[in-house]
Amino acid sequence: MTEYGRGEGSEPWHPEDPLYGDGGWGGQQAHTGQQSPYGGQPQHYPEQPQQPQYDDGGWGDGQQAAYGQAQQQYQQQYGEQHHDQQHGQQHQQQHGQQQYGDQQYQQQYSQQPYGQQQYAPQPQQQYDNGSWGTGTHAHVPYTDPSDPYAQQQQGVAYGAEQQPDFYGTPDAYPPPEPPARRRTEPEPQQADWDPGPDQGEHAFFSGADDDEDDSDDRDDSKGGRGDRKGRGGKPKKRRSGCACLVVLLVFGGGLGGVGYFGYQFYQNRFATAPDYAGEGTGEVVSVVIPKGAYGSTIGQKLKEAGVVKSVDAFVAAQEQNSKGKTLQAGAYLLKKQMSAASAIEMMLDPKSQNNVVVRPGERNISVYKAIDQQLELSSGTTRKAADKGYKSLGLPSWANSNKDIKDPLEGFLYPGTYPAAKGMKPETVLKEMVSQAAEKYEALDLTAKAKALKLDNPLQVITVASLVQAEGKTDDDYRKMAEVVYNRLDLANPETYGLLQFDSTFNYLKNESNINISESEINSNQDPYNTYTQKGLPPGPIGNPGDGAIKATLNPTDDGWYYFVAVDGVSKTEFAKTHAAFLKLKDKFDASSGS
């Protein structure tokens, strides 16, 4: 006798046992009056005569016949299933001697007389040991009182009077259930990922909308497929058309981007760049081109001003013009809606260049005048702006170190071409020039260079360079002229004893450019810039030196030169080391000039 089913025993079934006689699986429901799913009428089975209670455990003829009939019916329905005592022991070891009834019920009913016990079917514990297909037992076995497991099984088989009838619940008979308790299979519910009625089309693309979902919910409430929330407690996700719209937008944007870049590739590779025709309209505009600008940058500036139609057209025209690469930085007066080729030609014409050009050695007074003219300002406007606002134009900290300087910006309007179009302020033009000079001088590290040349400060380096620029004519002249300056600045030199004696410094203070200056005029003037009467360098630069003069100032010759004479009065300069050699050069000059 095992806990999985009844084997052959010596005790008959009790008449009140639910499986007594021909009850079987359907006997219980027929007894309780339940409807059968097979035809809707209660099923009736031949009722066996009641047997008297037994006291000594013996078997009567009727009881033995009833037991045999029940056993035969059971075997016909489910087959002969035999389990030995060893299988029950293994199961008890595996499940920790778990019994079908509560210990409290076993203790309560094991002490009651057998005939007074009430028989109520109890739910069967489900086991699956790998050999039973159903993993459950449908009948309540009769136990032998002498069996060591009978006391425990009896408490389960014959439940207490106070216990509820769990056989009325759906879990009492796990499948396969007895025929009397089988119900119609519920309609299978679709999972959230189920493709739906189209069998293969994803729910996202099925075309279902929120209204269909709502109708499904209403059908469930009427007893259709059941409550949706019964599936794991999660409501079914609603499909929305917004997701489809997002997909369409993504695909549409991708196609649009591919089309745009494809069009641009075609335009760049094969199509002609957009361009205007002709020499433009009558409207004139000023365009400022920065220094170091490439063709594409110039083209962009012209396009923004409305001069050319496209950057590509300008770059192509610049490549086709042999002088296109010679365009300089500056301001240009151009017409609107010009062809790219016409714009190139007009920019190459000096008349269209709306710039101010600072030449090497040019004095500030001349630069101020040019700015006034270019900006169409009254004479002297730029000079006044320089005197008033020079401190805000970006001068180096070492500038203006001498109180006798006539112009704080002298030597700091770096030679070059600068935009100066009508409508611009003079301070804007001047600031660009000063910024360029400050950048150049900083790169040369003039503080260290001044110390190496035995000069007091960087300002004196620029002053020497301005003298070299004013007196020299060529790069070779610049280096010799720089040596002349340094030799004469030596107060102990045996030739001039510290006097420079340069006409250029006297002409600066006079704002003149005379070659023939009388000795009386020179000797009578005691201005700090007069190097005939004042030893050493003038207070500040006398012009704006260029790159050549600055480089020569930092790298003079070392040949012993003290004198120089422009023998032709213009471009040819000769140098001498002694005063006697100088007098010969002077005679040569006098002869050439007819004096």
Side-chain angles (χ1 to χ4, degrees):
M1 176 69 184
T2 68
E3 59 182 329
Y4 285 94
R6 176 178 296 278
E8 294 182 0
S10 62
E11 294 295 333
W13 289 7
H14 195 275
E16 294 184 8
D17 192 310
L19 298 180
Y20 176 81
D22 196 21
W25 289 103
Q28 183 181 0
Q29 290 187 355
H31 180 72
T32 58
Q34 292 184 354
Q35 293 280 331
S36 171
Y38 303 95
Q41 298 297 330
Q43 295 182 1
H44 300 279
Y45 297 87
E47 187 176 16
Q48 299 297 327
Q50 298 291 334
Q51 300 296 329
Q53 280 185 321
Y54 55 91
D55 297 328
D56 57 353
W59 285 79
D61 295 338
Q63 292 174 337
Q64 191 170 11
Y67 174 76
Q69 184 178 3
Q71 184 178 19
Q72 182 179 4
Q73 181 181 1
Y74 179 83
Q75 293 175 354
Q76 290 175 358
Q77 292 183 2
Y78 299 98
E80 295 187 10
Q81 303 171 349
H82 299 283
H83 302 276
D84 54 10
Q85 182 68 22
Q86 181 179 0
H87 183 78
Q89 292 177 355
Q90 293 176 354
H91 180 77
Q92 287 183 349
Q93 293 175 3
Q94 193 174 22
H95 294 279
Q97 309 234 350
Q98 184 175 4
Q99 301 300 326
Y100 291 112
D102 190 277
Q103 269 187 342
Q104 181 179 359
Y105 299 153
Q106 294 176 8
Q107 295 175 1
Q108 179 179 356
Y109 292 103
S110 63
Q111 299 176 1
Q112 294 181 1
Y114 183 82
Q116 297 178 0
Q117 293 180 2
Q118 300 296 325
Y119 301 91
Q122 296 297 323
Q124 299 296 320
Q125 183 77 21
Q126 182 173 337
Y127 296 96
D128 192 352
N129 61 0
S131 61
W132 285 64
T134 61
T136 184
H137 307 285
H139 74 281
V140 180
Y142 180 81
T143 58
D144 189 346
S146 63
D147 192 337
Y149 300 99
Q151 297 295 330
Q152 298 174 356
Q153 289 183 348
Q154 184 178 359
V156 177
Y158 307 117
E161 180 179 358
Q162 293 84 359
Q163 293 301 312
D165 185 5
F166 291 104
Y167 278 76
T169 63
D171 295 331
Y173 294 97
E177 297 179 348
R181 297 194 60 86
R182 293 178 182 170
R183 297 184 299 275
T184 304
E185 290 292 336
E187 181 182 352
Q189 298 178 356
Q190 294 180 353
D192 291 343
W193 51 264
D194 197 335
D198 292 340
Q199 299 300 325
E201 182 181 11
H202 195 278
F204 179 79
F205 300 100
S206 64
D209 55 14
D210 293 341
D211 294 338
E212 293 180 0
D213 290 341
D214 294 341
S215 64
D216 290 342
D217 293 339
R218 290 193 294 270
D219 292 342
D220 293 344
S221 65
K222 295 179 182 180
R225 295 187 299 172
D227 188 4
R228 291 176 180 266
K229 294 183 179 179
R231 297 176 296 161
K234 295 183 180 179
K236 185 175 181 180
K237 297 180 180 179
R238 296 180 178 270
R239 297 182 291 272
S240 175
C242 293
C244 295
L245 178 60
V246 171
V247 172
L248 290 177
L249 290 176
V250 171
F251 279 105
L255 292 175
V258 171
Y260 171 78
F261 286 109
Y263 174 77
Q264 292 296 324
F265 178 81
Y266 173 80
Q267 288 290 105
N268 294 336
R269 295 291 182 179
F270 306 106
T272 303
D275 196 6
Y276 292 121
E279 298 181 356
T281 64
E283 185 177 359
V284 178
V285 294
S286 177
V287 181
V288 177
I289 304 302
K291 186 176 181 180
Y294 293 100
S296 59
T297 305
I298 298 175
Q300 185 64 38
K301 293 287 185 180
L302 297 180
K303 181 181 177 182
E304 292 175 356
V307 176
V308 298
K309 193 171 186 179
S310 68
V311 177
D312 292 340
F314 178 83
V315 173
Q318 188 181 29
E319 292 290 340
Q320 295 173 3
N321 193 308
S322 60
K323 297 181 180 180
K325 296 294 185 179
T326 63
L327 292 176
Q328 301 293 324
Y332 296 86
L333 291 176
L334 303 170
K335 297 179 181 180
K336 281 194 172 184
Q337 298 184 6
M338 302 180 69
S339 67
S342 299
I344 295 290
E345 292 293 339
M346 194 169 186
M347 294 179 72
L348 292 173
D349 186 355
K351 296 180 181 179
S352 68
Q353 297 177 5
N354 206 13
N355 307 315
V356 170
V357 178
V358 180
R359 297 171 179 83
E362 189 173 7
R363 300 171 186 167
N364 280 3
I365 192 171
S366 178
V367 176
Y368 297 150
K369 183 178 180 179
I371 294 175
D372 287 341
Q373 292 175 350
Q374 198 66 38
L375 301 183
E376 299 183 10
L377 301 175
S378 58
S379 181
T381 302
T382 303
R383 175 64 183 269
K384 292 178 181 178
D387 292 342
K388 182 178 180 180
Y390 70 91
K391 292 182 180 180
S392 63
L393 298 179
L395 289 169
S397 60
W398 44 263
N400 305 314
S401 58
N402 194 314
K403 62 181 181 61
D404 294 327
I405 291 176
K406 296 185 178 297
D407 188 344
L409 297 182
E410 196 74 70
F412 294 94
L413 302 183
Y414 204 82
T417 302
Y418 300 92
K422 182 179 180 180
M424 295 177 64
K425 294 182 178 180
E427 292 87 351
T428 303
V429 180
L430 293 174
K431 187 172 184 178
E432 184 68 22
M433 298 174 179
V434 173
S435 298
Q436 182 70 6
E439 181 180 346
K440 291 286 186 178
Y441 297 158
E442 182 179 3
L444 294 173
D445 191 13
L446 295 184
T447 301
K449 294 295 192 301
K451 185 176 181 180
L453 295 170
K454 298 180 180 181
L455 298 175
D456 294 341
N457 50 56
L459 181 61
Q460 288 191 343
V461 177
I462 302 302
T463 302
V464 172
S466 67
L467 297 175
V468 169
Q469 183 76 67
E471 299 288 353
K473 307 300 179 185
T474 64
D475 289 341
D476 185 57
D477 291 346
Y478 293 152
R479 293 191 64 203
K480 294 177 179 179
M481 195 68 66
E483 183 185 357
V484 170
V485 173
Y486 292 134
N487 287 337
R488 289 195 174 198
L489 287 177
D490 185 3
L491 298 178
N493 78 80
E495 299 294 332
T496 63
Y497 303 102
L499 291 172
L500 289 178
Q501 299 176 334
F502 279 16
D503 293 346
S504 57
T505 59
F506 188 80
N507 283 330
Y508 176 78
L509 69 90
K510 290 288 186 177
N511 193 24
E512 298 175 348
S513 296
N514 295 329
I515 297 177
N516 297 318
I517 304 173
S518 64
E519 293 184 3
S520 60
E521 184 180 3
I522 292 176
N523 294 330
S524 62
N525 192 312
Q526 299 298 318
D527 191 275
Y529 281 85
N530 186 356
T531 57
Y532 280 97
T533 59
Q534 307 296 322
K535 290 185 177 182
L537 291 170
I542 61 173
N544 296 286
D547 290 339
I550 295 175
K551 290 179 180 179
T553 301
L554 300 178
N555 186 28
T557 60
D558 190 17
D559 298 330
W561 306 114
Y562 278 90
Y563 302 92
F564 61 91
V565 175
V567 293
D568 61 354
V570 181
S571 58
K572 187 177 180 179
T573 304
E574 295 187 16
F575 293 84
K577 298 179 181 179
T578 63
H579 189 262
F582 165 72
L583 293 178
K584 291 179 181 181
L585 293 176
K586 187 175 181 301
D587 293 338
K588 189 175 181 178
F589 167 76
D590 292 339
S592 64
S593 63
S595 56

